[in-house]
Amino acid sequence: MGSTRLPGKVLRRLGGRTVLHRVVRAARDSGVLDDLVVATTTEAADDAVEAECARIGVACHRGPVDDVLTRFLGVLDGRAADTVLRFTADCPLLDPALVRRVARIFEASGVDYLTTSITRTLPRGLDVEVVRARVLRAIDERATEHHRTHVTSYIYSHPAEFDVIGVTVLPDRSHLRLTLDTEDDWKLIEAIVDRFGDRPVSVETLSDWLAGHPELVELNAHVPQKELSQA
């Protein structure tokens, strides 16, 4: 709830659901998860996130505000998970089919960490990350400063220490921005949901439709993404 650029964004409503609910639903619809947990902060404002988790029937873990890695490790405590998929709660257009495809590539590859964002070809807001739980635990003693906020950034910033691969999905659609961090992002996402309704939409369908509506793509084309060190 404490987003600096768009406070309260995860509980805004799109097509009858909150942004958080849409992310949770897409993750579940991928069919590759045994368990799903929302990791939020201990700040009073995030009592509302915990309440939303109870309403939509998903587990909630609460931890430090800026030390998100510690939050994730708290989720793993008491769970027997060996693989972790990470989703950010401000990506309401997450594609379940894409999540499923990336998870299968990860399992077939046997690597420590896989991401779609090392060489970006997907729209921002549809990225998928998969990491071994043992690797997250291993970086706890090494990750400092902004690496603790971004959870996995230490891994891909130190590829000599881990077995890391990046997945690209062609054609290149990286010019599209489909994450929610500003009011202009909201205008585009609202327009998409108005067109497609409550159902998840594949990255192919979505990008094809946006290709015919350049005026919508321009709504948030100017929005800069924060650098890792700005966290």
Short mmCIF file of all heavy atoms in Angstrom, two decimals, residues 16-44:
data_model
loop_
_atom_site.label_atom_id
_atom_site.label_comp_id
_atom_site.label_asym_id
_atom_site.label_seq_id
_atom_site.Cartn_x
_atom_site.Cartn_y
_atom_site.Cartn_z
N GLY A 16 -13.98 -5.51 -11.39
CA GLY A 16 -14.62 -6.18 -10.26
C GLY A 16 -13.67 -6.85 -9.29
O GLY A 16 -14.09 -7.36 -8.26
N ARG A 17 -12.37 -6.87 -9.61
CA ARG A 17 -11.37 -7.47 -8.73
C ARG A 17 -10.30 -6.44 -8.40
O ARG A 17 -10.04 -5.53 -9.18
CB ARG A 17 -10.67 -8.67 -9.40
CG ARG A 17 -11.55 -9.82 -9.77
CD ARG A 17 -10.74 -10.88 -10.52
NE ARG A 17 -11.60 -11.88 -11.11
CZ ARG A 17 -11.94 -13.02 -10.53
NH1 ARG A 17 -11.46 -13.30 -9.33
NH2 ARG A 17 -12.74 -13.87 -11.13
N THR A 18 -9.65 -6.62 -7.26
CA THR A 18 -8.50 -5.78 -6.96
C THR A 18 -7.32 -6.21 -7.83
O THR A 18 -7.28 -7.32 -8.37
CB THR A 18 -8.08 -5.90 -5.48
OG1 THR A 18 -7.72 -7.25 -5.21
CG2 THR A 18 -9.21 -5.45 -4.56
N VAL A 19 -6.37 -5.30 -7.97
CA VAL A 19 -5.14 -5.61 -8.70
C VAL A 19 -4.48 -6.85 -8.09
O VAL A 19 -4.06 -7.77 -8.80
CB VAL A 19 -4.18 -4.40 -8.66
CG1 VAL A 19 -2.79 -4.79 -9.16
CG2 VAL A 19 -4.75 -3.26 -9.49
N LEU A 20 -4.40 -6.89 -6.76
CA LEU A 20 -3.81 -8.04 -6.09
C LEU A 20 -4.54 -9.33 -6.42
O LEU A 20 -3.92 -10.37 -6.69
CB LEU A 20 -3.81 -7.81 -4.57
CG LEU A 20 -3.29 -8.97 -3.72
CD1 LEU A 20 -1.83 -9.27 -4.04
CD2 LEU A 20 -3.47 -8.67 -2.23
N HIS A 21 -5.86 -9.29 -6.42
CA HIS A 21 -6.65 -10.48 -6.73
C HIS A 21 -6.37 -10.98 -8.14
O HIS A 21 -6.28 -12.19 -8.39
CB HIS A 21 -8.14 -10.18 -6.55
CG HIS A 21 -9.00 -11.41 -6.54
ND1 HIS A 21 -10.38 -11.34 -6.45
CD2 HIS A 21 -8.70 -12.73 -6.63
CE1 HIS A 21 -10.87 -12.57 -6.47
NE2 HIS A 21 -9.87 -13.43 -6.59
N ARG A 22 -6.21 -10.07 -9.08
CA ARG A 22 -5.92 -10.47 -10.46
C ARG A 22 -4.57 -11.17 -10.56
O ARG A 22 -4.41 -12.15 -11.29
CB ARG A 22 -5.97 -9.26 -11.40
CG ARG A 22 -7.38 -8.70 -11.61
CD ARG A 22 -7.35 -7.50 -12.57
NE ARG A 22 -6.95 -7.90 -13.91
CZ ARG A 22 -7.80 -8.18 -14.89
NH1 ARG A 22 -9.11 -8.12 -14.68
NH2 ARG A 22 -7.36 -8.51 -16.08
N VAL A 23 -3.57 -10.67 -9.83
CA VAL A 23 -2.26 -11.32 -9.84
C VAL A 23 -2.35 -12.71 -9.22
O VAL A 23 -1.82 -13.69 -9.75
CB VAL A 23 -1.22 -10.46 -9.10
CG1 VAL A 23 0.13 -11.17 -9.07
CG2 VAL A 23 -1.08 -9.09 -9.76
N VAL A 24 -3.03 -12.80 -8.08
CA VAL A 24 -3.20 -14.09 -7.40
C VAL A 24 -3.90 -15.08 -8.32
O VAL A 24 -3.50 -16.25 -8.45
CB VAL A 24 -3.96 -13.90 -6.08
CG1 VAL A 24 -4.46 -15.25 -5.52
CG2 VAL A 24 -3.09 -13.20 -5.05
N ARG A 25 -4.97 -14.64 -8.97
CA ARG A 25 -5.71 -15.53 -9.86
C ARG A 25 -4.85 -16.02 -11.01
O ARG A 25 -4.86 -17.21 -11.36
CB ARG A 25 -6.96 -14.84 -10.40
CG ARG A 25 -7.79 -15.74 -11.32
CD ARG A 25 -8.93 -15.01 -11.98
NE ARG A 25 -8.47 -13.89 -12.80
CZ ARG A 25 -9.27 -13.19 -13.59
NH1 ARG A 25 -10.56 -13.48 -13.68
NH2 ARG A 25 -8.79 -12.19 -14.30
N ALA A 26 -4.10 -15.12 -11.63
CA ALA A 26 -3.25 -15.51 -12.76
C ALA A 26 -2.19 -16.52 -12.33
O ALA A 26 -1.91 -17.49 -13.04
CB ALA A 26 -2.59 -14.28 -13.37
N ALA A 27 -1.59 -16.28 -11.16
CA ALA A 27 -0.58 -17.23 -10.66
C ALA A 27 -1.20 -18.60 -10.43
O ALA A 27 -0.63 -19.63 -10.82
CB ALA A 27 0.03 -16.68 -9.37
N ARG A 28 -2.37 -18.62 -9.84
CA ARG A 28 -3.06 -19.90 -9.61
C ARG A 28 -3.45 -20.57 -10.92
O ARG A 28 -3.31 -21.79 -11.07
CB ARG A 28 -4.30 -19.68 -8.75
CG ARG A 28 -4.01 -19.45 -7.27
CD ARG A 28 -5.26 -19.10 -6.51
NE ARG A 28 -5.07 -19.16 -5.07
CZ ARG A 28 -5.88 -18.60 -4.18
NH1 ARG A 28 -6.93 -17.91 -4.60
NH2 ARG A 28 -5.63 -18.72 -2.89
N ASP A 29 -3.94 -19.78 -11.87
CA ASP A 29 -4.40 -20.34 -13.14
C ASP A 29 -3.26 -20.95 -13.96
O ASP A 29 -3.52 -21.71 -14.89
CB ASP A 29 -5.09 -19.25 -13.97
CG ASP A 29 -6.49 -18.93 -13.47
OD1 ASP A 29 -6.96 -19.61 -12.54
OD2 ASP A 29 -7.11 -17.98 -14.01
N SER A 30 -2.02 -20.63 -13.61
CA SER A 30 -0.89 -21.22 -14.33
C SER A 30 -0.83 -22.73 -14.13
O SER A 30 -0.30 -23.45 -14.97
CB SER A 30 0.43 -20.59 -13.87
OG SER A 30 0.75 -21.00 -12.55
N GLY A 31 -1.35 -23.19 -13.00
CA GLY A 31 -1.39 -24.63 -12.72
C GLY A 31 -0.06 -25.22 -12.29
O GLY A 31 0.06 -26.45 -12.19
N VAL A 32 0.93 -24.40 -11.99
CA VAL A 32 2.26 -24.93 -11.64
C VAL A 32 2.60 -24.73 -10.16
O VAL A 32 3.69 -25.15 -9.73
CB VAL A 32 3.36 -24.31 -12.52
CG1 VAL A 32 3.11 -24.62 -13.98
CG2 VAL A 32 3.47 -22.80 -12.30
N LEU A 33 1.71 -24.13 -9.39
CA LEU A 33 2.02 -23.83 -8.00
C LEU A 33 1.38 -24.84 -7.04
O LEU A 33 0.22 -25.20 -7.20
CB LEU A 33 1.52 -22.43 -7.63
CG LEU A 33 1.99 -21.26 -8.50
CD1 LEU A 33 1.39 -19.96 -7.97
CD2 LEU A 33 3.50 -21.18 -8.53
N ASP A 34 2.16 -25.25 -6.05
CA ASP A 34 1.61 -26.08 -4.97
C ASP A 34 1.10 -25.22 -3.83
O ASP A 34 0.25 -25.65 -3.05
CB ASP A 34 2.69 -27.03 -4.43
CG ASP A 34 3.16 -28.02 -5.49
OD1 ASP A 34 2.30 -28.67 -6.10
OD2 ASP A 34 4.38 -28.12 -5.70
N ASP A 35 1.65 -24.02 -3.70
CA ASP A 35 1.28 -23.12 -2.61
C ASP A 35 1.50 -21.70 -3.11
O ASP A 35 2.34 -21.45 -3.98
CB ASP A 35 2.16 -23.40 -1.39
CG ASP A 35 1.64 -22.76 -0.11
OD1 ASP A 35 0.51 -22.23 -0.13
OD2 ASP A 35 2.37 -22.78 0.91
N LEU A 36 0.73 -20.78 -2.56
CA LEU A 36 0.85 -19.37 -2.95
C LEU A 36 0.73 -18.51 -1.70
O LEU A 36 -0.18 -18.71 -0.89
CB LEU A 36 -0.26 -19.01 -3.95
CG LEU A 36 -0.26 -17.58 -4.50
CD1 LEU A 36 1.01 -17.29 -5.28
CD2 LEU A 36 -1.48 -17.35 -5.39
N VAL A 37 1.65 -17.56 -1.56
CA VAL A 37 1.68 -16.69 -0.38
C VAL A 37 1.90 -15.26 -0.83
O VAL A 37 2.76 -14.99 -1.68
CB VAL A 37 2.82 -17.09 0.59
CG1 VAL A 37 2.80 -16.21 1.84
CG2 VAL A 37 2.71 -18.56 0.97
N VAL A 38 1.15 -14.34 -0.27
CA VAL A 38 1.39 -12.91 -0.48
C VAL A 38 2.30 -12.42 0.64
O VAL A 38 1.99 -12.58 1.82
CB VAL A 38 0.06 -12.12 -0.47
CG1 VAL A 38 0.35 -10.61 -0.50
CG2 VAL A 38 -0.81 -12.53 -1.64
N ALA A 39 3.46 -11.86 0.27
CA ALA A 39 4.42 -11.37 1.25
C ALA A 39 4.34 -9.85 1.30
O ALA A 39 4.80 -9.17 0.38
CB ALA A 39 5.83 -11.82 0.88
N THR A 40 3.75 -9.32 2.35
CA THR A 40 3.59 -7.86 2.48
C THR A 40 4.32 -7.38 3.72
O THR A 40 5.05 -8.14 4.38
CB THR A 40 2.10 -7.48 2.50
OG1 THR A 40 1.99 -6.05 2.37
CG2 THR A 40 1.40 -7.93 3.77
N THR A 41 4.15 -6.11 4.06
CA THR A 41 4.93 -5.53 5.15
C THR A 41 4.15 -5.55 6.47
O THR A 41 2.96 -5.84 6.52
CB THR A 41 5.31 -4.06 4.85
OG1 THR A 41 4.22 -3.20 5.18
CG2 THR A 41 5.68 -3.86 3.39
N THR A 42 4.86 -5.18 7.52
CA THR A 42 4.26 -5.09 8.85
C THR A 42 3.67 -3.69 9.11
O THR A 42 3.17 -3.42 10.20
CB THR A 42 5.29 -5.40 9.94
OG1 THR A 42 6.45 -4.56 9.75
CG2 THR A 42 5.72 -6.86 9.87
N GLU A 43 3.73 -2.80 8.10
CA GLU A 43 3.17 -1.47 8.26
C GLU A 43 1.66 -1.54 8.45
O GLU A 43 0.98 -2.40 7.87
CB GLU A 43 3.48 -0.62 7.03
CG GLU A 43 4.95 -0.32 6.82
CD GLU A 43 5.48 0.66 7.87
OE1 GLU A 43 5.14 1.85 7.77
OE2 GLU A 43 6.21 0.22 8.77
N ALA A 44 1.12 -0.60 9.24
CA ALA A 44 -0.32 -0.61 9.53
C ALA A 44 -1.16 -0.50 8.25
O ALA A 44 -2.23 -1.10 8.15
CB ALA A 44 -0.66 0.55 10.48
#
